Every structure is written in C-alpha cells, then in structure tokens.
Amino acid sequence: MSATGRGLHGRVLEALGPEITAGEYPPGSVLRTDELAQRFDVSRSVMREAVRVLESMYLVESRRRVGVTVRPKSEWNVYDPQVIRWRLAGADRPGQLRSLTVLRSAVEPVAAGLAARHATAEQCAELTECALGMVAHSRGHKLEGYLLHDVAFHRVVLVASGNEMFARLGDVVAEVLTGRTQHDVMFEDPDPAAVTLHVQVAEAIREGDSARAEELTREITVGALQELDILAP
C-alpha cells in the first residue's frame, strides 16, 4: 500500500477507533462501510483496510450480509497499545489508568526481583543511566524528558527479568506512563520519593538483591496508585 493509502486509513482509524472505545458505537452496532467511506471521503478499499486493523484489535468483526459489528468490550484486545491510547483519550481515562496501574503493581515488582537475578552488566548500566536521567529531569517542569527516561527504565526492568511474557508488556507500561503525562495526570514535577526509589531499584538490581528490588518497585507502584487517587479519582 502506498504512503498515501496508509495515511488515509490512519486518518479513519484515528477518528473511528476512539469513537468505538468511548462507547459511541455500543456493542452490536453495525457499521456500514459505504456510509463510513462517504463520511471520511475515502475509497472502499481504504475503508476495508481500516476495518481490518480494527478487526485485528478485536474491536469489530465483519460478517457477510451483516456488515461490520462492534464487539463487546470483554472481547477487545485491551493490551494493544493503540487501544490503550484511544481509551486513555476518552471519558473512561481514570478507570483505564487505574486498571493499567494495578496491572503494573502485579507484574513489575516480580519482574524487578527477577531482574536482580538475571540482568546483564549492560542492562544494569542502562538502568543506572535511565535513573540518573530521571533525576536530571525531575525539576523544572521537564516532564517530557523525564518520561523518556522513565519509559526506558521500566522497559529494561521487564526485559532484564528474563521472562518473555513480562518483556512484552513494555509497550503497555509505556502507554500508561505516556498517558499520565500527556493527559496531565502527573504533578508538575515528579514525586521526589518516587525518583529516589527508581535510583534505589537500579542499585538493588545491580547488587543482585532480589527481595529489595521487588520491595522498592512495589513502593513505586503503590505510589502511582496513590497519585491517581488525587489526580484522577
């Protein structure tokens, strides 16, 4: 498909995806591709490509003689980063942030404990570099710079765990961290205690202290939940 085609079906997705995840089309709603093609002023082939992407996320299903039907939320691929992004942009942002943060609290402490056993020297160095980058961007309203190092830190922890299932959650964690920043569900400067905890986690992993790495990471996720109580109740 040409770049133009990708751009067109991407434009359709950026409008239709958030509408579906926000509930503007309730489960069971039938979407007529001809009507949608007319609405977005695109060809049927572009519309079909957009529908294929939505099908891959399990947001819709296509049936002959029926059309494109919106699936129940229970069937959506809620781990898809794009679905997470769309949901975070909608009215259910607080609920989505909370469910993702609870997921983090269940996974990341265990991943950190495993990382203390399995991390390579290179991964330990990466963690230290990321933690120091977080410190450097933790004052002066530098949230975008802080975010880059924060996302990288948590990706390294998940990968260093040596568990491929945890590693694949890197994009999910990246989306929740990014969503908090982009939707102003963060204080103007990060909590100093949380920044310090990241530095200490990097140290614990480097020292091979599994219990401490797990305990400190649990403190980070508990703090993240407490922030949501204040900023996105």
Side-chain angles (χ1 to χ4, degrees):
M1 180 181 289
S2 69
T4 302
R6 288 197 297 273
L8 287 172
H9 93 257
R11 176 168 61 82
V12 173
L13 286 170
E14 286 305 314
L16 201 52
E19 290 174 355
I20 292 172
T21 57
E24 293 183 32
Y25 295 100
S29 299
V30 176
L31 310 179
R32 304 295 180 187
T33 52
D34 287 351
E35 293 175 3
L36 290 171
Q38 185 174 9
R39 171 190 165 187
F40 292 107
D41 192 25
V42 296
S43 66
R44 291 181 183 179
S45 63
V46 168
M47 199 61 235
R48 283 195 296 270
E49 179 61 27
V51 167
R52 277 195 289 269
V53 175
L54 294 173
E55 283 182 300
S56 73
M57 300 172 177
Y58 295 93
L59 296 181
V60 303
E61 62 180 337
S62 298
R63 296 180 185 172
R64 294 175 68 88
R65 300 188 182 89
V66 175
V68 179
T69 306
V70 177
R71 288 175 176 259
K73 185 187 294 187
S74 59
E75 297 178 4
W76 296 353
N77 180 6
V78 293
Y79 289 100
D80 187 293
Q82 184 65 74
V83 173
I84 292 171
R85 205 170 305 143
W86 288 336
R87 295 181 73 189
L88 286 175
D92 190 35
R93 182 180 306 136
Q96 174 72 161
L97 282 169
R98 187 164 298 280
S99 65
L100 288 166
T101 305
V102 169
L103 173 67
R104 288 183 61 200
S105 70
V107 170
E108 290 195 75
V110 177
L114 290 170
R117 300 191 190 111
H118 302 299
T120 64
E122 290 79 9
Q123 288 168 331
C124 289
E126 278 188 76
L127 283 174
T128 299
E129 184 179 348
C130 292
L132 292 177
M134 292 171 71
V135 172
H137 290 82
S138 63
R139 286 290 173 268
H141 310 334
K142 301 175 183 176
L143 287 182
E144 289 297 333
Y146 182 87
L147 173 65
L148 291 175
H149 295 286
D150 195 13
V151 168
F153 182 95
H154 290 280
R155 282 190 186 278
V156 175
V157 170
L158 291 167
V159 172
S161 73
N163 183 300
E164 75 281 6
M165 304 298 286
F166 287 172
R168 289 299 299 271
L169 290 174
D171 287 344
V172 173
V173 173
E175 288 300 331
V176 66
L177 294 174
T178 301
R180 289 193 317 172
T181 300
Q182 292 183 343
H183 297 293
D184 299 321
V185 191
M186 283 277 286
F187 295 112
E188 289 186 341
D189 283 328
D191 177 12
V195 179
T196 300
L197 284 169
H198 283 78
V199 174
Q200 292 172 336
V201 169
E203 291 173 351
I205 290 174
R206 186 175 67 249
E207 294 168 1
D209 191 336
S210 180
R212 181 160 171 74
E214 182 169 343
E215 177 188 352
L216 291 166
T217 305
R218 184 163 287 109
E219 286 189 50
I220 291 172
T221 58
V222 167
L225 278 169
Q226 290 172 341
E227 281 191 5
L228 289 182
D229 289 337
I230 298 169
L231 298 170

